[in-house]
Amino acid sequence: MCCVSKFSCKSNRVAQMFSRLKVGLPLILFSLLLLSCSGETVAPTRPIIPDALPQITLNPPTPIIATRPGETLMTPMPVCTPPACAINEDYFCSGECPNGCGIICVTPTVGDVIKDDEQPSVTNTAVSQPPTATNTPQPPQPIQIEFAPGATGASVPGSVVQGTTQRYILRAMAGQQMNVQLTGDLADLALAVIGQGGSVFQSQMSGLTNWQGNLPATQDYYLDVVGNASRNFTLNVTVTALPAPTATIDLSPERIQFLPGTTSATRPGTLGPGQSKTLALNAATGQLMEFVLTSAAAPINITMTYPGTTLFHEGVLNQSTNQYRTTGMYTLPLTGDYAFLLTNVGTAVTEYTITYSITDNTASGTTPTRVQFLPGSTSATLSGAISQISGDQAYVLTAVSGQIMNIQLLAATTPLFVTIADANGVLLAQQSGIYRQDLEKFETALALTLPASGDYIITLALIGAAPLPTEFDITFTIQ
């Protein structure tokens, strides 16, 4: 482009520049006049973009927040993920722990309390990793201790894994003396003795491995072997037999007489704490005798004696009726008198009622049902019903000497009495049913080490009056 004059060329360049900036014509003319008067050459300029923001380059991995001119760059607050605590640890913050930073894992001790304001507060954090799974030893199953017939003790070999407790259960009676001793490698082992009701006779904190004491109540006793290391050991337990009753049969005991044509008789009475009373009745060999005593305020134990034999019967609280019951049922081995010493073993005066029933087994026509196991099986379950009309139910089972017979009977509406006798009718074991709240049924359970090979008779009988038939399931197990 050809300029007519120096003034026109300068004017064209300035006009082009300001047209790009979109400035008004009056301002352009005023600028041209100033330039022409000064005689200076206008240098080329680059376009100016109003309010342009500075270019900021982010340098990973450190994040920087871009700001507008005149503002201060802000670095984000750090965010911490608390560590994964073990199963026996808790989170702990010694002071302020913003965004989770400063939280540690600690092992609480007895008496430690973490206050609400000390609980870790974590905001805007990533999901924390779950605690690492640990191989915590599973607690072993409790072991029931059974003495051999006629024995007063047992030695049970056992083992315990570090960090676990092996529990043994032994039922014993009030007034007996128990002696427990561990033998073997006893380093880092401890023995605890606890009553069924929660009474602690010896704590594991004692570090002792033996205990001896008089038992205050008839109940299950828990013998816990606590292992701070894995060890093999032998648990030796002895329980002295109850002393023979010091009271003898009264010179003039109250004699039980049945009215003509009847097979039962009931006697009421009252006994104070520690007091005793003796009853006597006459029966014949082979007859089936049953007695049921109920008392309201205290348990009454019964000692049954006949020539050469003394049998103990314990008063037990029946939770369904909230009364104490003492029961027994026998096929009588002799013809003659049988004496019964009733003793109040509680701490309160109590009234009682005892009922005797005697029936002739040969006239009853009861034929035992033979129990058969399927091939390869060690147990069998049978169902039935029992009532006052049907009478007792009997089963016969063949087993071998030294085997253990376990019986569990579950009755729907009333407790049942179970006896085990040999083929000659000699009583070997007996048990009354008790109510099980977890099962909502009455359970009768027995376990017996069989003294000889042959047939064994198991008899089921009602305890007291039952207006309706009682359905039951009975399971026989031979080991």
Side-chain angles (χ1 to χ4, degrees):
M1 177 177 173
C2 181
C3 296
V4 178
S5 67
K6 179 181 179 181
F7 175 79
S8 63
C9 289
K10 291 183 179 181
S11 298
N12 287 336
R13 293 171 184 167
V14 175
Q16 291 175 4
M17 178 183 65
F18 281 98
S19 65
R20 291 192 187 99
L21 299 175
K22 299 179 182 180
V23 183
L25 182 58
L27 183 58
I28 294 174
L29 294 176
F30 178 74
S31 299
L32 289 174
L33 289 175
L34 292 176
L35 290 172
S36 62
C37 294
S38 62
E40 295 177 353
T41 303
V42 178
T45 61
R46 58 182 180 87
I48 300 175
I49 302 174
D51 297 332
L53 294 176
Q55 299 297 317
I56 299 176
T57 302
L58 297 179
N59 297 318
T62 303
I64 300 177
I65 300 177
T67 62
R68 302 184 68 86
E71 295 183 354
T72 302
L73 295 180
M74 300 296 293
T75 302
M77 287 290 292
V79 175
C80 302
T81 300
C85 293
I87 192 170
N88 63 333
E89 295 180 327
D90 285 332
Y91 286 113
F92 177 74
C93 175
S94 60
E96 295 183 359
C97 297
N99 290 345
C101 297
I103 295 174
I104 60 174
C105 296
V106 297
T107 302
T109 59
V110 177
D112 284 350
V113 178
I114 298 179
K115 301 178 181 179
D116 292 340
D117 58 0
E118 292 179 349
Q119 297 291 339
S121 175
V122 182
T123 58
N124 299 327
T125 63
V127 177
S128 61
Q129 295 297 324
T132 303
T134 58
N135 295 324
T136 303
Q138 295 298 318
Q141 293 296 318
I143 297 175
Q144 185 78 39
I145 298 178
E146 298 285 350
F147 292 174
T152 59
S155 294
V156 183
S159 61
V160 66
V161 177
Q162 181 178 3
T164 65
T165 298
Q166 177 62 65
R167 168 163 288 183
Y168 296 87
I169 303 175
L170 175 65
R171 186 165 184 84
M173 300 181 68
Q176 290 182 311
Q177 185 180 73
M178 181 186 294
N179 188 306
V180 187
Q181 185 173 19
L182 293 177
T183 58
D185 186 2
L186 305 184
D188 298 315
L189 294 186
L191 174 68
V193 181
I194 305 170
Q196 183 179 3
S199 299
V200 178
F201 301 98
Q202 178 168 290
S203 169
Q204 67 185 63
M205 302 302 293
S206 68
L208 300 176
T209 56
N210 63 287
W211 180 82
Q212 178 177 334
N214 295 322
L215 304 181
T218 299
Q219 61 181 352
D220 285 343
Y221 289 86
Y222 304 137
L223 312 177
D224 292 349
V225 180
V226 183
N228 295 317
S230 298
R231 294 285 186 268
N232 295 322
F233 59 86
T234 299
L235 179 70
N236 304 285
V237 185
T238 58
V239 176
T240 59
L242 283 173
T246 55
T248 58
I249 298 177
D250 296 343
L251 296 176
S252 56
E254 180 180 346
R255 182 164 291 277
I256 305 299
Q257 300 284 353
F258 292 176
L259 294 176
T262 65
T263 59
S264 64
T266 299
R267 292 290 184 274
T270 302
L271 288 175
Q275 290 184 346
S276 298
K277 182 178 181 62
T278 302
L279 305 175
L281 61 79
N282 188 275
T285 302
Q287 287 184 318
L288 181 67
M289 180 184 66
E290 177 185 4
F291 59 85
V292 178
L293 182 147
T294 60
S295 54
I300 293 178
N301 291 349
I302 297 179
T303 303
M304 173 181 170
T305 59
Y306 58 90
T309 303
T310 300
L311 301 170
F312 298 98
H313 305 81
E314 175 191 356
V316 178
L317 180 65
N318 188 321
Q319 294 183 347
S320 63
T321 62
N322 201 31
Q323 288 187 324
Y324 293 94
R325 299 177 67 89
T326 314
T327 60
M329 185 172 67
Y330 297 95
T331 299
L332 301 179
L334 302 172
T335 297
D337 281 346
Y338 292 82
F340 303 85
L341 177 66
L342 282 55
T343 304
N344 181 346
V345 295
T347 59
V349 176
T350 185
E351 297 180 348
Y352 69 87
T353 300
I354 185 169
T355 299
Y356 292 92
S357 300
I358 294 182
T359 57
D360 189 345
N361 272 338
T362 58
S364 65
T366 301
T367 302
T369 300
R370 182 163 289 277
V371 180
Q372 301 283 357
F373 291 171
L374 294 175
S377 176
T378 59
S379 65
T381 300
L382 302 176
S383 300
I386 188 171
S387 67
Q388 290 177 319
I389 297 177
S390 66
D392 300 339
Q393 302 289 318
Y395 298 89
V396 60
L397 177 64
T398 302
V400 178
S401 174
Q403 290 183 318
I404 299 176
M405 178 188 297
N406 287 279
I407 295 176
Q408 183 190 42
L409 183 143
L410 298 176
T413 57
T414 189
L416 299 181
F417 190 81
V418 179
T419 63
I420 303 176
D422 63 15
N424 297 319
V426 176
L427 181 70
L428 301 175
Q430 62 177 350
Q431 185 63 52
S432 301
I434 59 174
Y435 185 70
R436 287 279 302 273
Q437 291 184 342
D438 55 335
L439 302 175
E440 296 184 349
K441 291 184 178 181
F442 293 90
E443 180 188 44
T444 310
L446 295 92
L448 175 67
T449 301
L450 303 179
S453 299
D455 285 345
Y456 290 87
I457 309 299
I458 297 92
T459 305
L460 282 58
L462 288 167
I463 299 178
L468 298 175
T470 296
E471 296 181 349
F472 64 86
D473 296 311
I474 184 169
T475 299
F476 302 89
T477 303
I478 298 293
Q479 298 174 334

